[in-house]
Amino acid sequence: MNPQAKLIFAISLLLGTTITISSNHWIMAWAGLEINTLAILPMISKSHHPRAIEAATKYFLVQAAASTLVLFSGMTNAWHTGQWDITQLTNPVSCLILTSAIAMKLGLVPFHFWFPEVLQGSPLTTGLLLSTTMKLPPMTLLYMTSHSLNPTSLTIMAILSVATGGWMGLNQTQIRKILAFSSISHLGWMVIIIIYNPKLTLLNFYLYTLMTATTFLTLNSMKALKLSTLMTAWTKTPPLNAMLLLTLLSLAGLPPLTGFLPKWMIIQELTKQDMATAATAMSLLSLLGLFFYLRLAYCTTITLPPHTTNHMKLWHTKKPTSIMIAILTTMSTALLPASPLIITII
Amino acid sequence: MDLPLALNTFMTLSLITLTTPILLTLLSGSLKDAPTTITNTVKTSFLISLIPMTIHIYSGMESLTSVWEWKFIMNFKIPISLKMDFYSLTFFPIALFVSWSILQFATWYMASDPHITKFFTLLLLFLIAMLILVTANNLFVLFIGWEGVGIMSFLLISWWHGRAEANTAALQAVTYNRVGDLGLILCMAWLASTMNTWEIQQLPSTHQTPTLPLLGLILAATGKSAQFGLHPWLPAAMEGPTPVSALLHSSTMVVAGIFLLIRTHPLLSTNQTALTLCLCLGALTTLFAATCALTQNDIKKIIAFSTSSQLGLMMVTIGLNLPELAFLHISTHAFFKAMLFLCSGSIIHNLNGEQDIRKMGGLQKMLPTTTSCLTIGNLALMGTPFLAGFYSKDQILESLNTSYLNTWALTLTLLATSFTAVYTIRMTVLVQTGFVRIQPLTPMNENNPAVTSPITRLALGSITAGFLLTSFMIPTKTPPTTMPLSIKMTALMVTALGIALALEISKMTQTLTLKKQAPLSNFSISLGYFNPLTHRLSSTMLLNSGQNIASHLIDLSWYKKLGPEGLADLQLTASKTATSIHSGLTKAYLGSFALSIIILLMSMH
């Protein structure tokens, strides 16, 4: 792509995110969301093949609808209460519509249908942006309006998200779709605790961003888009494959790795709030996710008997070592001992 | 003279004499000329056993000998004791007489067998076991004898073990006997736990006995004496050699079940349910066996079914609460049934192995002694006046007609009596009279005394035994003294009717052709369809239920389906359903979004 165009899109992305994060007027929030939508569209459809165009179209339609709903909820609230403050959302209809709008923006069940297809149609780096940066504004809005959202619908949506993410992810062979459903699962975990302790939502989001970024960047360096490619990629960078195993297990939430921290804190908080059934349901449904993470991990670190490989191992790897991947991998696997520090900071 | 001492001594001497050949073989190696030795041993034993019987007839003395006491646990003693009362003292000479004749016959019949020594030893062992059973005073010793005769029956039926039918017949015998043994063990267990004894003297006879142990006893008798329900083994047991059929399956082993009921009669007499059960079971058996015998073509099978029918009649007598009459019938039946089997054995060997009566005929002129004795035996079986069978059978039928009982049982028994006459006459006519249907070159002779003397001896017994036995038997229950003439003549009339019918029908078969398929004759020929139904059904059900429980229920259901596999299947279903919802159509997605929002608004507002 044209470097100037890339620059404009990147700056617009930053601008949109910043506007929404720092807004306290509904119009500003909406404007930021719209700028984000428009800025990422060309990045999705960078390669002009039909799948990418379709992904871009779907993304635009859904996000436009969601932004409209955000605007309408703010407007209805202003009509009824006379003020446009984001934190002062009191009209019940507005609250409900805002819940569904944010769900649509984020990709919570039952508003998640667009997410896997959009992620599948976009290149890996754009996919990373979609999973992390594009979730930041809606997450901020969620955080700011958490007291005025409907708890029941949020809980239902959260548990359904974890379930859908688990079951759907089992039946995929394309890695981007698997990561989309993993994202939906994690969103479920984030949303269930927003009513009781919003800080934990943010903690979960940050750590999720960390781990997803690691995964996406690792896959990008391996250029692995499907499971079959992943199985033969170990010959190129064997240590990176081994680290990918740990990163995936961290995404799954296995104890000595970082991904365990948010789940642990959320389960603790839910139990304290007398929501033990919900906590049990979420944990059991996350096991489904564990299965496909393990499948991915097995494909990356497939152990073969000592025999001639299917293709030559490249011993002059021209790939430069990426500092970013190194740092992110370390952080996404080894942060658990520092959990008191992290919880205090966030 | 010290009579009790003499009684005990001679009885035990008689028993010990029987064990002599076996002990000699154990001590010194092989036995020279085993058949003759064993035959002479049994003859000696018979002569010795006449003395205690005479003592009993003379003085009415009975005795009870305790040999050794096994202190099982503190309160439960099992004495190994022999009871010499009327039943055992009378049965001993009769059984030994019949066995002597059979063994003498077997020296000719099994002369060409390479393992004749083993055969005679097995027969001797059987005889010892049977006599232990008869003289047992408690159920423990009786059980020893009971199992002994069962095992011997198994070994002897499968004597020609190269033949598959013989093996299956032996297995049938053992299985059906085992089912009966369950009943005996049940009764023994009940007795041990409630009466704390297995002695026959200590069985209660005053108050009402519970039905459970009696059911056990009746089950034991059903198994051993081939009553209906556990009867298929008796016709199948004809696979064994004729001496085996004569000794075991006509005179001695099969009456063991009836003998058990006679011994434990005090228990039975108070429980009307058990008595009625015996009555009806016996009546059913006798009619069923007689029906099956009508269409049999194998001479040994006809006699086997005849045995089964007479056993049913004995069971009916038990049901009438007349144990002594049953014993009388056992004794008289032993004579003529053994003789019938020996005659059939002589015929079979002379015809070079032919057992089908359709291929015999006109043997009267060729085997005069055998066929005359066959006729005597058949007449005795039918209950011809003043032959052996008359004394017991006619008394039974008179008591049946004059007692207050189940009309159905009465009808069945009378019908079976006429059927007895029918099949007996059929057999006689087809074997002895008419045109000769045997192979052209069949050299046959009766010159060997080993053939003729046992048969004639038993014929003498068949004629006189009834008279002799009733002379010195004192009935403890009053026999019916007066009855209308028609009732008195019922047995005779029914038998005569059967004879006439059989003769007429036999004449008809020589002129008319038989109908192809008739349901009644099919029923009789296939032995009531009992064998295929029960044998196949029981094993299929057992194996099926075994597979269901072990393999399907436990392995498949509990360990797999309700565990990991079932869970995995559930997740698979959920995953597939969820995947099919994600169709990829934007309109569907947006529509679902709109629907979700509407539902949300509707429900939460």
Side-chain angles (χ1 to χ4, degrees), chain B residues 202-242:
Chain B
Q202 296 184 27
L203 300 179
S205 62
T206 47
H207 54 279
Q208 180 89 351
T209 330
T211 323
L212 183 64
L214 300 175
L215 284 179
L217 284 176
I218 294 171
L219 182 64
T222 314
K224 194 63 99 177
S225 298
Q227 302 297 309
F228 185 78
L230 297 177
H231 66 280
W233 70 271
L234 190 53
M238 297 298 119
E239 291 290 331
T242 312

Side-chain angles (χ1 to χ4, degrees), chain B residues 17-37:
Chain B
T17 320
L18 281 178
T19 64
T20 325
I22 300 172
L23 288 174
L24 278 179
T25 319
L26 286 174
L27 289 171
S28 77
S30 65
L31 198 62
K32 275 202 291 280
D33 195 14
T36 335
T37 320

Side-chain angles (χ1 to χ4, degrees), chain A residues 54 58 61-62 69 92-93 96-97 100 104 110-114 117 150 152-153 164 167-168 170-171 181 288, chain B residues 570-572 574-576 578-586 588-590 592-594 596-597 600-601 604-605:
Chain A
E54 184 192 326
K58 279 187 188 160
L61 285 173
V62 174
L69 285 174
V93 178
L96 285 170
I97 295 184
S100 40
M104 226 188 276
F111 304 103
H112 69 287
F113 292 104
W114 57 275
E117 279 124 37
N150 190 320
T152 323
S153 54
T164 312
W167 279 325
M168 283 303 297
L170 286 174
N171 205 9
F181 287 111
L288 298 162
Chain B
L570 269 174
Q571 305 311 313
L572 206 63
S575 183
K576 285 187 193 162
T579 321
S580 61
I581 298 177
H582 290 64
S583 54
L585 306 169
T586 325
Y589 292 171
L590 292 172
S592 79
F593 294 167
S596 310
I597 293 176
L600 201 64
L601 281 172
M604 300 292 178
H605 202 49

Side-chain angles (χ1 to χ4, degrees), chain A residues 15-326:
Chain A
L15 183 67
T17 313
T18 320
I19 289 176
T20 313
I21 290 174
S22 56
S23 68
N24 45 25
H25 194 287
W26 274 116
I27 301 285
M28 290 307 285
W30 172 77
L33 290 172
E34 287 295 299
I35 294 172
N36 264 354
T37 313
L38 292 171
I40 200 131
L41 278 178
M43 300 185 79
I44 296 175
S45 56
K46 192 159 47 172
S47 61
H48 295 286
H49 69 78
R51 201 185 202 100
I53 307 293
E54 184 192 326
T57 320
K58 279 187 188 160
Y59 186 74
F60 173 68
L61 285 173
V62 174
Q63 296 291 307
S67 306
T68 316
L69 285 174
V70 166
L71 183 64
F72 285 174
S73 84
M75 221 161 63
T76 321
N77 191 47
W79 194 335
H80 283 265
T81 58
Q83 43 83 25
W84 289 88
D85 205 322
I86 292 183
T87 52
Q88 306 293 323
L89 200 68
T90 47
N91 191 22
V93 178
S94 298
C95 297
L96 285 170
I97 295 184
L98 184 66
T99 318
S100 40
I102 292 184
M104 226 188 276
K105 276 269 178 218
L106 283 175
L108 283 173
V109 168
F111 304 103
H112 69 287
F113 292 104
W114 57 275
F115 197 34
E117 279 124 37
V118 168
L119 211 63
Q120 179 66 25
S122 44
L124 272 171
T125 35
T126 320
L128 170 63
L129 285 174
L130 273 172
S131 300
T132 53
T133 317
M134 300 304 291
K135 301 242 185 289
L136 193 54
M139 200 55 82
T140 323
L141 284 177
L142 190 73
Y143 181 76
M144 284 198 281
T145 58
S146 61
H147 53 275
S148 41
L149 297 172
N150 190 320
T152 323
S153 54
L154 279 177
T155 317
I156 295 173
M157 282 199 286
I159 298 182
L160 282 176
S161 300
V162 180
T164 312
W167 279 325
M168 283 303 297
L170 286 174
N171 205 9
Q172 309 296 336
T173 52
Q174 297 288 329
I175 299 187
R176 285 171 287 181
K177 276 205 172 160
I178 293 181
L179 287 174
F181 287 111
S182 104
S183 169
I184 295 174
S185 272
H186 282 269
L187 277 170
W189 277 96
M190 288 178 219
V191 163
I192 197 159
I193 201 72
I194 190 88
I195 319 156
Y196 309 109
N197 195 349
K199 295 251 188 283
L200 286 180
T201 307
L202 287 182
L203 171 73
N204 198 351
F205 179 63
Y206 298 149
L207 289 175
Y208 166 70
T209 313
L210 188 64
M211 296 183 287
T212 310
T214 319
T215 318
F216 267 106
L217 289 172
T218 316
L219 290 169
N220 196 23
S221 79
M222 283 196 261
K223 294 281 182 291
L225 298 170
K226 343 192 248 263
L227 281 183
S228 43
T229 322
L230 202 57
M231 279 183 110
T232 56
W234 65 276
T235 51
K236 298 192 194 121
T237 46
L240 187 57
N241 273 45
M243 293 320 292
L244 183 58
L245 161 76
L246 288 175
T247 315
L248 286 167
L249 291 179
S250 178
L251 260 177
L254 279 184
L257 306 167
T258 317
F260 180 57
L261 175 60
K263 289 200 166 62
W264 169 23
M265 299 315 297
I266 289 175
I267 291 177
Q268 189 174 2
E269 189 61 40
L270 281 176
T271 323
K272 279 193 232 164
Q273 299 286 340
D274 199 18
M275 296 269 288
T277 335
T280 322
M282 303 271 286
S283 320
L284 286 174
L285 291 166
S286 301
L287 282 177
L288 298 162
L290 177 63
F291 185 82
F292 62 75
Y293 288 127
L294 276 174
R295 184 195 286 154
L296 272 176
Y298 179 70
C299 293
T300 61
T301 56
I302 184 163
T303 47
L304 296 168
H307 73 325
T308 51
T309 55
N310 35 13
H311 55 112
M312 297 253 305
K313 179 181 172 329
L314 310 167
W315 67 287
H316 260 319
T317 34
K318 291 237 169 75
K319 217 176 284 297
T321 49
S322 168
I323 279 282
M324 204 61 205
I325 298 181

Side-chain angles (χ1 to χ4, degrees), chain B residues 184 265 279 453 476 555 571 589 599:
Chain B
L184 185 58
H265 180 75
L279 188 71
S453 60
T476 46
D555 282 351
Q571 305 311 313
Y589 292 171
I599 292 176

